[in-house]
Amino acid sequence: MPIYALGDLEPDIHPEAFVHPEAVVIGRVRIGERSTIWPQAVLRGDIEAGIHIGARTSIQDGSVVHTTPAQATTVGDDCVIGHLVHLEGCIIEDGSLVGSGSIVLHHARVETGALVAAAALVPNHMVVPAGSMALGVPARIKPDAVNPEMIANAAAAYLRYCERYRKDLRRLD
């Protein structure tokens, strides 16, 4: 797996995290215990603020996580970041789900247990309140629309995948 330092900026990956061999991690990136980084995901912490991924969080295939000079990109514990998501200079709080193809931009905050629907655009400075859903382009808020059990089940599934991949993944070519 390509893991790079960039000058003094070095990744800090928990030994129980799973980073797929075809994911890319660059610079100041911290990945927590039992978190999973899937194929073609790119975590580019090439700016001092860095990227912080909590424990038991899934960054799925093809997602891009970047930062800004002014703000780190932070993803909390027990989060699910779907396929082809773009996160940049934002905060995703614990137990949240960001659906496939979504974009969450500078200084936006997805509060605990919130959901960003697939293909939504959460613009700069928007707050998605706890338990709410953001959907559309630009995103609109649908209050109290999230079933927290659904997010917890999705996060738990990726913990199982983590164990399976750590144990059984092998290259055949």
Side-chain angles (χ1 to χ4, degrees):
M1 75 196 80
I3 298 176
Y4 300 96
L6 184 62
D8 293 339
L9 305 177
E10 292 188 11
D12 176 11
I13 302 171
H14 192 282
E16 291 187 26
F18 173 77
V19 179
H20 189 277
E22 294 180 9
V24 178
V25 179
I26 301 170
R28 177 156 291 144
V29 177
R30 184 176 63 221
I31 301 172
E33 179 180 5
R34 298 182 69 203
S35 284
T36 54
I37 313 300
W38 294 98
Q40 276 68 59
V42 176
L43 284 71
R44 186 161 57 98
D46 57 351
I47 300 172
E48 189 71 28
I51 296 168
H52 312 283
I53 308 297
R56 301 170 306 280
T57 286
S58 168
I59 309 293
Q60 294 175 19
D61 313 54
S63 290
V64 174
V65 183
H66 195 224
T67 187
T68 71
Q71 178 164 340
T73 299
T74 302
V75 181
D77 298 337
D78 304 303
C79 292
V80 177
I81 306 302
H83 306 279
L84 301 171
V85 167
H86 176 181
L87 304 177
E88 186 162 331
C90 58
I91 297 170
I92 312 298
E93 293 183 0
D94 296 347
S96 295
L97 188 149
V98 179
S100 295
S102 296
I103 300 170
V104 184
L105 292 175
H106 305 178
H107 304 284
R109 178 181 296 269
V110 177
E111 293 184 342
T112 299
L115 187 149
V116 176
L121 169 62
V122 178
N124 294 352
H125 302 283
M126 181 178 212
V127 174
V128 181
S132 296
M133 179 187 301
L135 63 162
V137 178
R140 305 171 316 282
I141 301 298
K142 186 174 180 183
D144 303 317
V146 177
N147 175 354
E149 191 173 300
M150 184 272 303
I151 295 174
N153 289 341
Y158 274 88
L159 286 176
R160 290 189 300 275
Y161 300 155
C162 176
E163 297 309 315
R164 179 177 181 209
Y165 273 72
R166 287 172 58 91
K167 178 181 166 215
D168 293 335
L169 182 67
R170 64 188 191 285
R171 191 167 177 151
L172 296 177
D173 62 348

